[in-house]
Amino acid sequence: MVAQGISTVQSLADMPYMILMDHNFKRVRTVTGEADIHYQINSPVVRKNQLSLEQVKLFEAFVRENSAAEDVTMGTVYAKGYASPDGPENFNQKLSAERSKSGEKAIKENLKGIDVQYDAAAYGEDWEGFKELVSKSNIQDKELILNVLSMYSDPEQREREIKNMSSVFKVLAEEILPQLRYSRITASVNVIGKSDEEISKLAKEDAKALSVDELLYAATLVTVSYTHLTLPTNS
């Protein structure tokens, strides 16, 4: 009370600029896991050492955990096969298909007994991956290589021009191309969040059980009504 008959709390509550903070709460969140299985040149055979890599083990744990979890919808496990952009394009397209199938088979065997769907797809020569790796590298004349990629769209022409840079191509063959012979194994899960009823109840009884975004969202679920009070004045 700052003056008789005036309530500052009520006047502030009536101000239009009093709004709730934004929240980033999403009822359904999508989480993705992935791992790469690499191959030797011109080969679709999955080597045992690839299946013991930490990223592969983490991916398998990701699938096992989420396929059995409540309030989680498990998506398809995809095996996407790629080939390095050297050699005949038709051969590499076929090779990438074989790698996708061998990658799918290997991960399926390791996840035997887990109820998930699988799918394999061939993506051919990974020029986008090649461009990204070259851009991040310290290879001599890398700008020249990137210019070739921008100037020519035909895969055979690109390969021809790059191979003409013999000293550079040797480095590419040792450092870049081996990274592009792989199957990428991926899976996504939809995590279903708490219902409005659950959030409202926890906000009243156990707010610590809610995240910051859930707390901010809880505020939007509350309907507030104000009663105007007329305070008596001295007559």
Side-chain angles (χ1 to χ4, degrees):
M1 180 78 73
V2 293
Q4 203 164 25
I6 300 175
S7 170
T8 57
V9 173
Q10 184 61 59
S11 63
L12 286 173
D14 290 338
M15 290 182 180
Y17 56 76
M18 289 189 68
I19 59 175
L20 296 171
M21 291 178 63
D22 290 336
H23 63 82
N24 293 316
F25 174 74
K26 292 183 179 180
R27 184 80 60 199
V28 179
R29 294 182 297 108
T30 301
V31 183
T32 301
E34 68 175 36
D36 289 346
I37 297 174
H38 285 90
Y39 299 83
Q40 292 182 320
I41 188 170
N42 296 337
S43 174
V45 177
V46 176
R47 294 169 289 170
K48 288 184 179 181
N49 69 329
Q50 291 297 302
L51 298 179
S52 62
L53 294 174
E54 183 181 7
Q55 64 168 319
V56 175
K57 293 301 181 184
L58 288 174
F59 175 80
E60 292 171 358
F62 171 82
V63 174
R64 287 193 181 94
E65 179 182 347
N66 287 290
S67 62
E70 295 182 4
D71 299 329
V72 172
T73 303
M74 187 78 209
T76 300
V77 175
Y78 293 97
K80 305 175 181 180
Y82 294 87
S84 57
D86 55 319
E89 184 180 7
N90 290 339
F91 174 83
N92 284 332
Q93 181 64 37
K94 181 181 178 181
L95 181 60
S96 71
E98 292 173 345
R99 285 173 175 169
S100 68
K101 292 175 183 177
S102 68
E104 176 192 21
K105 181 180 178 181
I107 209 72
K108 195 172 184 178
E109 289 178 354
N110 279 13
L111 292 173
K112 189 177 295 183
I114 306 299
D115 185 20
V116 293
Q117 299 295 317
Y118 294 88
D119 188 35
Y123 286 79
E125 298 178 341
D126 189 7
W127 282 106
E128 285 302 315
F130 178 82
K131 180 179 179 180
E132 181 180 354
L133 291 175
V134 170
S135 298
K136 294 178 179 178
S137 74
N138 295 317
I139 294 176
Q140 184 181 1
D141 294 330
K142 77 173 184 179
E143 294 302 325
L144 184 57
I145 298 171
L146 295 174
N147 285 338
V148 168
L149 298 182
S150 63
M151 289 174 59
Y152 304 101
S153 59
D154 179 66
E156 292 184 4
Q157 182 68 28
R158 282 178 168 181
E159 184 183 356
R160 219 169 20 246
E161 295 294 331
I162 293 172
K163 281 186 174 180
N164 285 337
M165 298 179 278
S166 56
S167 60
V168 174
F169 188 78
K170 182 179 179 181
V171 178
L172 292 173
E174 293 175 352
E175 299 181 10
I176 302 295
L177 296 179
Q179 300 182 62
L180 303 173
R181 301 163 185 147
Y182 66 101
S183 286
R184 176 155 292 163
I185 314 299
T186 67
S188 295
V189 297
N190 289 329
V191 182
I192 304 172
K194 300 178 183 69
S195 66
D196 286 0
E197 291 76 14
E198 291 172 321
I199 291 175
S200 295
K201 184 178 180 180
L202 287 171
K204 295 176 183 177
E205 301 175 0
D206 187 13
K208 291 182 179 180
L210 298 176
S211 68
V212 172
D213 287 328
E214 287 172 333
L215 282 170
L216 291 173
Y217 177 70
T220 69
L221 303 177
V222 179
T223 302
V224 180
S225 61
Y226 295 99
T227 302
H228 291 265
L229 300 176
T230 302
L231 300 179
T233 57
N234 290 335
S235 57

